[in-house]
Amino acid sequence: MSSPSGSRITGHRVLLGISAGIAAYKSAVLARLLKQAGCEVRVVMTQGAQAFITPLTLQALTGEPVRTSLLDPEAEAGMGHIELARWADTILIAPATADLLARLAAGMADDLLTTLCLASDAKKVMAPAMNQAMWRHPATQRNAARLAEDGWRLLGPASGDQACGDVGPGRMLEPEAILDALRFTAPEDAPAATASQEAAGLTVTITAGPTQEPLDPVRYLSNHSSGKMGYALAEAAAALGATVRLISGPVSLPCPEGVERLEVETALEMHEAAMQLAPASDLFIGCAAVADYRAERAAEHKIKKVEGEEGLTLRLVKNPDIIAAVATERAAGTGRPFVVGFAAETRDLEAYARDKLTRKGLDMIVANDVSRPGLGFGADDNAALVLWRREAGQDGALPKGDGIDQEMLAPQPKSRLAMAVIRRALSCLQDRRHP
Ligand code: C5P
């Protein structure tokens, strides 16, 4: 695992919450990695967690007493629970069980960990881990969505073999991936102007906005894409020091500072520009809402109404799938760029996103539910489910499970979401280059 930006979490105060899942044995490794990364770590365990791993283990690894009870007079005489809640920069719960998700989603404070979560303004991150049927259950899905809306970042779960013998989503993300997520998102609240230069030296190409497919000299086929998300991505990548090229369909947004914009109208023009720029890019993000079809032939003159005819037949032909073409070229070429797609869906978000990730040969996909009011198309806010392919380990071993990890990003301004997406992509890119 690379640690190019490890310093960004040096001195970060992490309250590590451990709940009652078999993955708790990995929390010891996580505690150690956090310490090695320079974090201050304090551990709180639920009652059930202690059946899987002992407080003594975590105490030895962190060098700090481990808290297990809300009503412990001795511990409260040291650092009281409210003090502990204020102390934390981040509360990280790994593993987070279905029961803990339910209690947190309901706003309960029936043990030390849930009480701390309610009492703290810290950034909150969790890595759910449970049996796949429990994760898929509508109640758990409802709780996960509610927690994301409340501002929790949910890392994973990953899919694959489970300790109980099942196969499916519910595995806790590996400790390295969790640490990585903290590293690459810790200062996402920082204004862009103060962001670090972690993308310096990288070239990023982004497609944004709609395409317009002419039918005749005055009419076209298009869609409602505002370009806001793509422009926010360009701004975020530029703020992190990347050289950014924005291939933009017609939108009414100003070009972000420090970004080179290429204005196009049709999918064919966007395709041509993308194929030219992608091979020299480290990161290619397809955020444009490309028209799937264009008129086979745009009429030379304005199409006239025909008296007596109730209908008009237009023959449409398929446009190239730009991002799939970039991914295919990449597979045949230099290994560059890392390819990130977007998926706007109105149902079955995860299933459609997984399918698109695989079918188009992408490295990462950012899926959002456009049926949710106030989010997605045209809106200033967005929420997303991010899925990415995990690479083979250092020893060349294949990734466990289906090799796809995921993260839920809560509803937030597109500018912040863009920063989180760029950082996640940078983190994957680093892992590929320096496993
Ligand atoms: O298949 P769908 O249009 O839902 O896929 C969305 C993703 O594919 C987005 O990343 C979009 O920019 C990209 N795309 C593309 N070229 C197309 C259609 C979609 O690059 N012709």
Side-chain angles (χ1 to χ4, degrees):
M1 178 69 44
S2 56
S3 55
S5 53
S7 59
R8 290 186 38 230
I9 52 172
T10 299
H12 204 67
R13 293 168 169 178
V14 181
L15 184 75
L16 176 61
I18 305 176
S19 64
I22 177 63
Y25 77 91
K26 295 185 184 173
S27 309
V29 178
L30 180 58
R32 194 146 178 270
L33 290 175
L34 287 165
K35 288 289 288 181
Q36 283 171 348
C39 296
E40 289 182 47
V41 185
R42 287 179 183 254
V43 176
V44 169
M45 297 173 73
T46 64
Q47 201 64 35
Q50 298 165 62
F52 292 93
I53 185 167
T54 70
L56 193 61
T57 306
L58 278 307
Q59 181 179 312
L61 290 169
T62 60
E64 299 286 346
V66 172
R67 295 283 308 262
T68 55
S69 163
L70 180 60
L71 309 171
D72 178 345
E74 206 178 310
E76 284 293 306
M79 190 188 265
H81 67 275
I82 296 295
E83 223 179 315
L84 192 55
R86 289 192 190 127
W87 170 86
D89 295 319
T90 295
I91 295 184
L92 166 64
I93 304 184
T97 60
D99 174 68
L100 188 67
L101 260 73
R103 288 190 290 130
L104 287 171
M108 290 173 71
D110 56 350
D111 65 4
L112 178 60
L113 185 53
T114 49
T115 302
L116 287 168
C117 291
L118 273 192
S120 176
D121 290 331
K123 199 180 285 274
K124 299 194 180 80
V125 184
M126 66 164 69
M130 65 198 74
N131 164 267
Q132 54 83 23
M134 291 172 82
W135 171 252
R136 287 185 207 272
H137 194 286
T140 306
Q141 288 299 303
R142 214 167 37 238
N143 292 332
R146 161 58 65 90
L147 288 166
E149 273 174 29
D150 287 352
W152 280 87
R153 288 189 62 207
L154 278 79
L155 306 174
S159 283
D161 295 336
Q162 302 207 290
C164 55
D166 281 6
V167 179
R171 292 170 56 92
M172 187 172 93
L173 284 201
E174 294 301 325
E176 291 84 356
I178 295 173
L179 178 69
D180 230 22
L182 288 195
R183 269 200 180 118
F184 279 88
T185 56
E188 76 194 10
D189 293 328
T194 64
S196 62
Q197 295 289 294
E198 65 213 59
L202 297 180
T203 300
V204 180
T205 298
I206 300 169
T207 68
T211 64
Q212 286 180 355
E213 310 299 328
L215 299 176
D216 67 16
V218 295
R219 302 184 181 95
Y220 55 79
L221 284 175
S222 192
N223 58 64
H224 289 301
S225 169
S226 62
K228 283 181 186 170
M229 192 65 219
Y231 275 59
L233 288 162
E235 194 168 359
L240 295 175
T243 300
V244 184
R245 295 187 180 123
L246 184 59
I247 307 172
S248 175
V251 296
S252 55
L253 299 171
C255 182
E257 220 179 292
V259 170
E260 186 187 335
R261 177 164 68 174
L262 276 97
E263 294 178 50
V264 297
E265 280 179 5
T266 67
L268 288 180
E269 289 167 6
M270 189 174 272
H271 177 251
E272 195 186 331
M275 298 317 280
Q276 250 176 39
L277 297 179
S281 305
D282 300 285
L283 182 59
F284 181 92
I285 306 180
C287 193
V290 184
D292 289 326
Y293 293 93
R294 66 179 183 277
E296 186 177 37
R297 250 187 320 274
E300 197 182 331
H301 297 288
K302 187 178 171 193
I303 300 171
K304 290 289 182 197
K305 248 195 318 255
V306 181
E307 290 307 323
E309 286 284 346
E310 283 310 306
L312 170 71
T313 304
L314 289 169
R315 188 169 152 69
L316 303 180
V317 291
K318 225 174 192 166
N319 272 326
D321 190 314
I322 299 170
I323 204 162
V326 168
T328 308
E329 282 280 299
R330 181 270 314 269
T334 58
R336 292 168 85 181
F338 185 86
V339 184
V340 181
F342 272 70
E345 306 292 345
T346 53
R347 65 195 166 100
D348 295 335
L349 196 63
E350 184 179 338
Y352 283 125
R354 273 176 186 270
D355 171 64
K356 236 165 253 185
L357 182 74
T358 314
R359 192 163 37 82
K360 298 194 185 214
L362 311 179
D363 298 299
M364 187 170 129
I365 191 149
V366 183
N368 55 303
D369 180 348
V370 286
S371 69
R372 292 175 67 180
L375 300 176
F377 273 159
D380 291 327
D381 284 12
N382 214 348
L385 176 69
V386 186
L387 302 172
W388 66 94
R389 289 174 199 274
R390 209 177 322 131
E391 276 296 270
Q394 216 157 4
D395 50 2
L398 285 172
K400 295 192 187 89
D402 63 4
I404 296 174
D405 284 345
Q406 60 170 267
E407 179 178 358
M408 237 185 247
L409 298 171
Q412 54 193 300
K414 284 180 175 170
S415 55
R416 261 179 64 187
L417 191 89
M419 194 55 107
V421 167
I422 295 282
R423 286 203 160 114
R424 165 55 59 202
L426 289 179
S427 151
C428 293
L429 193 59
Q430 295 280 9
D431 286 351
R432 299 229 159 157
R433 294 186 175 174
H434 313 284

